[in-house]
Amino acid sequence: MMSREVSEYIEKQKSPQKEICRKLRKIILKTFPKLDEKVKLGVAWYGKYYIVGLRDSVNLGFSVKGLSKKDKDRFKGTGDFMRHLKFKDAEEIDEKEIVKLLKLVDKKAECGSCWR
């Protein structure tokens, strides 16, 4: 379900971050239409996932708590709870691969950083 607060967060981003955020949001909500969407800790938050617009890129974050080392290694970063994929251009987004990772995390990961 689309949140007005998240829409405002995304619209405040500059290009190309705005377009990347829009595309990632669409993929997440298409994959999990009933997912609760909100702004938390200043970023678009989806339980086990987040989208953050940075100065020169956008990170799509994933909870990795409870994943195997092999699964964790599919993401950037070294966090024990959250890791990410980094995008500098909307053309870099491989929807099939992202859907695969979203479903992997949904099935296997605990909500390590799902602060209430």
Side-chain angles (χ1 to χ4, degrees), residues 3 10 15 19 21 25 28 49 61 69 72 83 91 111:
S3 139
I10 290 172
S15 287
E19 292 73 23
C21 288
R25 178 192 204 190
I28 291 171
Y49 320 100
K69 181 184 179 332
K72 283 182 184 179
R83 295 196 183 176
E91 299 304 310
C111 212

Side-chain angles (χ1 to χ4, degrees), residues 72-88:
K72 283 182 184 179
D73 288 345
R74 297 172 80 175
F75 304 97
K76 291 185 183 341
T78 58
D80 291 331
F81 300 112
M82 301 295 284
R83 295 196 183 176
H84 63 275
L85 300 177
K86 183 178 288 292
F87 302 96
K88 291 183 180 259

Side-chain angles (χ1 to χ4, degrees), residues 36-38 40-41 43-47 49-50 82 113 115:
D36 187 30
E37 175 182 65
K38 61 182 146 228
K40 188 157 63 166
L41 305 174
V43 305
W45 202 274
Y46 304 85
Y49 320 100
Y50 67 84
M82 301 295 284
S113 288
W115 298 289

Side-chain angles (χ1 to χ4, degrees), residues 20-21 24 27-28 48-54 56-64 71-78 82-89 92-105:
I20 297 167
C21 288
L24 293 173
I27 292 168
I28 291 171
K48 295 181 183 181
Y49 320 100
Y50 67 84
I51 299 171
V52 58
L54 303 169
D56 64 348
S57 61
V58 173
N59 283 359
L60 173 58
F62 297 81
S63 175
V64 295
D71 285 337
K72 283 182 184 179
D73 288 345
R74 297 172 80 175
F75 304 97
K76 291 185 183 341
T78 58
M82 301 295 284
R83 295 196 183 176
H84 63 275
L85 300 177
K86 183 178 288 292
F87 302 96
K88 291 183 180 259
D89 186 285
E92 296 175 5
I93 297 171
D94 178 344
E95 184 170 347
K96 283 187 178 133
E97 184 60 23
I98 290 172
V99 168
K100 224 184 284 181
L101 293 172
L102 289 169
K103 289 180 175 178
L104 168 83
V105 166

